[in-house]
Amino acid sequence: MTSALLPHEAVVVDRKDETPEMFSLRLRFTDPEVQAGYRFSLGQFNMLCLPGMGEVPISIVSDPEDRQTIDHTIRQVGSLTRNLGRLEIGDRLGLRGPYGRGWPAASAEGTDLVIVTGGLGCAPAVSLIEFALRRRSRYGRLHIVQGVKHAHDLIWRERYDAWRQHPDVEVYLTADTGDTLWPWHLGPVTQFFDRIDIDPTRCSVFLCGPEGMMKAVIREMDRRRVPARRIWLSMERNMHCALGACGRCQLGAKFVCRDGPVFSWAELAPYLAHQGI
Ligand SMILES: Cc1cc2nc3c(=O)[nH]c(=O)nc-3n(C[C@H](O)[C@H](O)[C@H](O)COP(=O)(O)OP(=O)(O)OC[C@H]3O[C@@H](n4cnc5c(N)ncnc54)[C@H](O)[C@@H]3O)c2cc1C
Ligand code: FES
């Protein structure tokens, strides 16, 4: 019998440096049977494990229909992520997952998507955008709003340029502090909502980033009468088991690892209201 806590061995089949701090790893299980049986849904995460060091939750950014490899984009913030950043093609690591509940891609079909992200390269939102663009006829208009603190925090500039070439896709980029080479907007992400034609009866709102930013967007959506059940947030908490067993990621009566990381605002409001969100 194998334990749900026991990782399977995976190998790095490709890697790409996105910025000095961020990198992407393309992984494949070394056991072909494990790879063949691996299924995930959009917005779920894996636990990546370095033997003797520990493990970290990381979102899956590849397409759920790609059964050959598993992609992750990682920012180096501490010891584990820095050591993952040293992995080269051919190196091995442990992987267990997938875990959690991801974005409700099916229930958003037929609606306009408003995707608002904040901070440095929000991996779960990128996977959602790529997913919707590959299945363009299933969704209405896409409004992509990305905010960063400083102009130099924006990564994946070429992706935003590529996304805005698609019909019915609008991309808004904004920074709290710009520089001479910043051609877009200055100010909070909420400034764009007066320009976006939001029909509260046929839109789905997806949020990923700092909780303060998500709180501000939720207030705007509430003003426009978007129902709380059509607003989705991807949450982050420190994790240990990822199985709903240790309580490390508890949020009221919910566990972010098991019941999330994606929650509707209707579910989260009772727990986060008293924390100020
Ligand atoms: C569901 C989920 C999905 C994630 N997806 C990604 C992803 O796709 N790419 C990515 O780069 N990161 C992702 N993260 C965050 C990632 O797990 C943490 O950055 C990582 O655990 C840090 O480990 P470390 O040992 O390198 O740093 P540590 O030394 O553990 O921490 C460094 C700093 O980051 C803070 N921190 C650590 N983990 C978290 C967390 N979960 N939430 C908030 N603050 C934290 C610590 O308090 C500390 O200040 C995700 C987290 C969750 C919960
Ligand atoms: S990480 Fe253990 S309960 Fe969520």
Side-chain angles (χ1 to χ4, degrees):
M1 195 176 82
T2 58
S3 160
L5 287 167
L6 204 62
H8 290 281
E9 186 186 67
V11 61
V12 178
V13 294
D14 200 3
R15 71 156 287 151
K16 182 182 175 207
D17 290 314
E18 308 281 358
T19 70
E21 276 184 349
M22 291 191 74
F23 60 97
S24 295
L25 296 178
R26 177 156 289 174
L27 306 176
R28 184 182 293 132
F29 288 107
T30 51
D31 181 340
E33 263 186 52
V34 174
Q35 182 64 50
Y38 182 85
R39 299 279 183 281
F40 68 93
S41 55
L42 192 68
Q44 283 192 300
F45 67 95
N46 286 321
M47 296 297 282
L48 300 189
C49 162
L50 289 175
M53 293 186 209
E55 51 182 3
V56 283
I58 300 289
S59 305
I60 308 162
V61 294
S62 37
D63 194 289
E65 282 172 21
D66 175 5
R67 304 270 157 74
Q68 307 303 315
T69 51
I70 305 156
D71 293 350
H72 292 288
T73 296
I74 302 166
R75 184 157 68 99
Q76 303 186 37
V77 295
S79 63
L80 236 299
T81 46
R82 267 199 292 278
N83 280 292
L84 287 168
R86 295 191 183 115
L87 295 178
E88 300 290 348
I89 294 172
D91 285 343
R92 287 159 194 241
L93 69 160
L95 189 161
R96 60 183 178 95
Y99 294 114
R101 182 183 60 168
W103 300 112
S107 84
E109 288 186 15
T111 68
D112 294 337
L113 309 187
V114 180
I115 301 167
V116 188
T117 69
L120 290 170
C122 202
V126 171
S127 64
L128 172 67
I129 294 165
E130 299 277 0
F131 180 92
L133 289 176
R134 281 191 212 107
R135 295 155 182 85
R136 195 66 198 88
S137 61
R138 296 188 197 171
Y139 301 99
R141 286 174 299 161
L142 258 70
H143 302 284
I144 300 165
V145 185
Q146 161 77 31
V148 287
K149 272 203 178 120
H150 191 275
H152 63 235
D153 291 334
L154 186 75
I155 65 162
W156 293 324
R157 286 180 186 227
E158 71 291 352
R159 284 200 194 196
Y160 293 104
D161 289 340
W163 292 337
R164 33 165 87 82
Q165 305 307 319
H166 288 262
D168 290 327
V169 176
E170 285 171 68
V171 177
Y172 302 94
L173 301 176
T174 186
D176 292 343
T177 319
D179 60 27
T180 47
L181 295 175
W182 180 257
W184 299 292
H185 304 274
L186 292 175
V189 292
T190 44
Q191 69 182 310
F192 295 109
F193 295 123
D194 286 335
R195 302 186 202 177
I196 300 177
D197 182 20
I198 293 173
D199 176 350
T201 63
R202 64 176 304 270
C203 78
S204 306
V205 180
F206 300 96
L207 308 177
C208 178
E211 291 183 14
M213 179 279 287
M214 295 200 281
K215 166 188 173 182
V217 177
I218 287 166
R219 274 200 227 103
E220 287 293 323
M221 292 301 143
D222 192 42
R223 256 185 353 109
R224 286 165 174 75
R225 307 214 175 283
V226 176
R229 64 188 160 74
R230 304 277 350 145
I231 302 173
W232 301 88
L233 302 78
S234 185
M235 299 297 293
E236 275 199 19
R237 286 292 183 274
N238 283 324
M239 289 185 183
H240 182 59
C241 70
L243 295 166
C246 73
R248 177 81 67 92
C249 67
Q250 202 162 355
L251 195 55
K254 306 277 183 192
F255 294 105
V256 173
C257 66
R258 185 193 63 194
D259 306 315
V262 174
F263 295 91
S264 75
W265 178 236
E267 291 169 286
L268 274 196
Y271 307 113
L272 288 183
H274 70 279
Q275 293 182 12
I277 194 170

